[in-house]
Amino acid sequence: MKKITFLLLPFFLLGILTVDAQRKNRKNHDPKESQNRPKLVVGIVVDQMRYDYLTRFWNHYGEGGFKRLANQGFNCKNHHFNYAPTSTGPGHASVYTGTTPATHGIIGNHWYGKTEDKMVYCASDDAFESVGTTTDDGKMSPHRMLTTTITDQLRLHTQMRGKVIAVALKDRGAVLPGGHTANAAYWFEGGDTGQWISSSYYMDALPEWVNNFNASGKIKSYKKAWTTLKNISSYLESGPDNNAYEGLFETEIAPTFPHSTPNLLNKEKDFEILKYTPYGNSITTDFALAAIEAEQLGKDGIADFLAISFSSTDYIGHKYGVNSKEVQDTYLRLDLELDRLLNTLDAQVGAGQYMVFLTADHGAINVPAYLKDEKVPAGYLDNEKMKEDFTNFLKYRYGTTDILKNVSNNQIFLDHKIIKNLDMGLDDVQEEIAAEILSYDMIDKVYTGYQMWQNEYTSGIPYILQNGWHQKRSGDVLYVTKPAHISYPRTGSSHGTPMIYDTHVPLLFYGAGIKKGSTAHRTEIPDIAPTLAVMLGTAFPNGTTGKPIVKMLE
């Protein structure tokens, strides 16, 4: 018996060593961070959300929305866009690519296409057909975005097994975050249809669950009066309800609550109007929740990604302005939508099994007319006067206006062939035109394309402009208006500049792998995607210029 035991001893020891090796091997291949990787990432972009909307309305928020994200997650308090123009297309592209327009190529919502010799739209693509509608509203794709997104990298990392779904009222708010490889991107067609649609870039026909949602009557149920969530007298964080700085709905004679115009109440047509109410955000949440359930997001061991953009905040901000009670009410209602979304994620995916980040695609300026009445330097560009003066300058200096191709996004595009025929140097012409533009009263700073090409700026306005300047797509002269001076109607707010009111936005991380805390160190929009890549264990998007947010990852 002892002999048999002795003979078996080596096999027993070998078994112990093998088990120990397996444990070590499993430990080496299952690092601690992989245990904290989320089953589902939910990216939330709130269109036109200034950072101070988080703090200004804080006491009105409940515990389950913005406060839950900020108190139980990580708050980047000094978060900025590091480029201009600050608008929706470039904003969404930059959040998800981890870089700026200088690299990903989305230099505006619309821009002058040099090769096409016409204005182009950031998401349009006639190579594809609309899905779910007979209009051209679905002829979209991300083909103008030159780099990959974090959503692309997740798809590639998982051999296309991880799902990516993108949802927004605006087509560009879904197409660009979804990246080049998304399973689906959906956006809302208003008009007289009021339905979610897509593009043949993603699918041949809408899934059954989308058709069911469109036919459910949910969207029609939001054609109702817009009243305040709370007693309007408690909205002390915004200006008076009736003022001269806000736009009007169709038949209104004053911009006051309740908003209950005929088309808002009509359940059979003009669903576009819902975008200008908080109900547009509610419709977005409804559809996102339907996607979570129907697509079984976060249900297996392979990470999925849901990109959501809340767009009504932008429509309402443009119409009513930063200081309006409409904006305040919209954010209080959005807080409830976030609460509803997080509670559903808890139930469907599991608390601690998903991760959320929330940011914005740009900020907004307070209405200049209001600022001016409050004795703050502000104003509006006299575009007709500038156009007249500039036209006269071109005729006098060059003998023709044909040298000018286009003016858009605060950039001037010149005809390089004509300049060559005039036997002039492009850099000299750029400099002459820059000097002329700088002489105009409302212009604060001017830079040339030659300067953008030859220099490497590391701070200030030129740094922000250079990050938004693409060598092949951008203009020859870039100009910046005086602070708080914009080209816009005298009601409502706008955005697009390199100024702080357009660049300072929130960034909140919450959920799986996120520690509680905050930082006042500067973070920038391109930092989001590489931070997500570190957390997901994927490669960085291929144009990444941002850096992981170490303060949160330590």
Side-chain angles (χ1 to χ4, degrees), residues 265-377:
L265 302 178
N266 190 321
K267 296 184 183 298
E268 303 304 323
K269 66 176 185 177
D270 191 13
F271 291 91
E272 190 75 15
I273 201 170
L274 289 175
K275 297 178 181 179
Y276 294 84
T277 74
Y279 306 138
N281 291 334
S282 300
I283 294 169
T284 304
T285 307
D286 290 342
F287 191 73
L289 298 184
I292 292 171
E293 181 177 359
E295 299 289 350
Q296 292 291 287
L297 299 180
K299 289 294 187 180
D300 56 26
I302 302 172
D304 298 322
F305 205 117
L306 175 62
I308 306 172
S309 181
F310 288 107
S311 308
S312 285
T313 43
D314 184 68
Y315 289 104
I316 294 165
H318 276 296
K319 191 175 191 67
Y320 292 103
V322 167
N323 201 44
S324 65
K325 295 197 184 301
E326 282 79 5
V327 161
Q328 178 164 357
D329 190 69
T330 297
Y331 278 88
L332 302 195
R333 289 179 179 275
L334 178 58
D335 186 55
L336 297 181
E337 299 303 326
L338 295 176
D339 189 331
R340 184 157 66 104
L341 174 62
L342 294 172
N343 286 336
T344 301
L345 291 170
D346 286 343
Q348 295 288 329
V349 183
Q353 299 299 306
Y354 63 89
M355 192 268 282
V356 174
F357 74 87
L358 182 148
T359 189
D361 56 350
H362 53 75
I365 186 176
N366 222 320
V367 180
Y370 163 71
L371 294 176
K372 194 171 182 179
D373 286 346
E374 295 296 325
K375 301 179 181 179
V376 175

Side-chain angles (χ1 to χ4, degrees), residues 85 94 174 178 231 260 269 271 320 327 341 400-401 412 415 421 449 473:
S94 298
N231 190 317
S260 55
K269 66 176 185 177
F271 291 91
Y320 292 103
V327 161
L341 174 62
T400 178
T401 59
I412 297 172
D415 191 320
N421 289 338
R473 293 183 174 180

Side-chain angles (χ1 to χ4, degrees), residues 151-333:
T151 45
D152 287 327
Q153 297 304 149
L154 177 62
R155 292 277 285 157
L156 294 168
H157 184 78
T158 61
Q159 299 301 310
M160 301 297 171
R161 293 192 294 270
K163 283 187 176 182
V164 170
I165 308 291
V167 175
L169 294 182
K170 296 180 179 180
D171 47 48
R172 57 187 179 272
V175 170
L176 300 174
H180 302 276
T181 61
N183 297 84
Y186 301 102
W187 50 96
F188 186 72
E189 182 182 46
D192 290 341
T193 55
Q195 58 190 353
W196 291 91
I197 65 172
S198 190
S199 164
S200 61
Y201 178 86
Y202 307 100
M203 63 193 73
D204 295 325
L206 293 177
E208 183 179 2
W209 71 266
V210 177
N211 286 325
N212 290 340
F213 186 95
N214 284 336
S216 68
K218 275 182 176 284
I219 296 170
K220 288 185 177 182
S221 71
Y222 288 109
K223 292 296 287 293
K224 58 185 180 181
W226 176 11
T227 59
T228 55
L229 180 66
K230 298 183 178 182
N231 190 317
I232 197 170
S233 64
S234 69
Y235 289 9
L236 301 177
E237 296 76 15
S238 48
D241 191 27
N242 192 5
N243 62 72
Y245 315 117
E246 300 176 8
L248 299 171
F249 269 130
E250 47 200 353
T251 60
E252 291 180 330
I253 58 174
T256 56
F257 282 104
H259 298 291
S260 55
T261 62
N263 277 355
L264 184 56
L265 302 178
N266 190 321
K267 296 184 183 298
E268 303 304 323
K269 66 176 185 177
D270 191 13
F271 291 91
E272 190 75 15
I273 201 170
L274 289 175
K275 297 178 181 179
Y276 294 84
T277 74
Y279 306 138
N281 291 334
S282 300
I283 294 169
T284 304
T285 307
D286 290 342
F287 191 73
L289 298 184
I292 292 171
E293 181 177 359
E295 299 289 350
Q296 292 291 287
L297 299 180
K299 289 294 187 180
D300 56 26
I302 302 172
D304 298 322
F305 205 117
L306 175 62
I308 306 172
S309 181
F310 288 107
S311 308
S312 285
T313 43
D314 184 68
Y315 289 104
I316 294 165
H318 276 296
K319 191 175 191 67
Y320 292 103
V322 167
N323 201 44
S324 65
K325 295 197 184 301
E326 282 79 5
V327 161
Q328 178 164 357
D329 190 69
T330 297
Y331 278 88
L332 302 195
R333 289 179 179 275

Side-chain angles (χ1 to χ4, degrees), residues 354-428:
Y354 63 89
M355 192 268 282
V356 174
F357 74 87
L358 182 148
T359 189
D361 56 350
H362 53 75
I365 186 176
N366 222 320
V367 180
Y370 163 71
L371 294 176
K372 194 171 182 179
D373 286 346
E374 295 296 325
K375 301 179 181 179
V376 175
Y380 297 88
L381 272 66
D382 187 341
N383 288 320
E384 289 303 314
K385 179 67 164 59
M386 285 181 59
K387 182 179 179 180
E388 180 183 351
D389 290 346
F390 189 47
T391 299
N392 290 335
F393 165 77
L394 293 177
K395 289 178 179 178
Y396 176 78
R397 178 63 184 89
Y398 306 109
T400 178
T401 59
D402 291 344
I403 197 174
L404 178 67
K405 278 284 192 178
N406 180 268
V407 179
S408 55
N409 296 317
N410 286 10
Q411 295 185 22
I412 297 172
F413 295 78
L414 302 175
D415 191 320
H416 293 191
K417 290 182 179 179
I418 290 181
I419 292 173
K420 188 175 182 179
N421 289 338
L422 290 173
D423 198 25
M424 300 184 72
L426 178 61
D427 54 335
D428 292 330

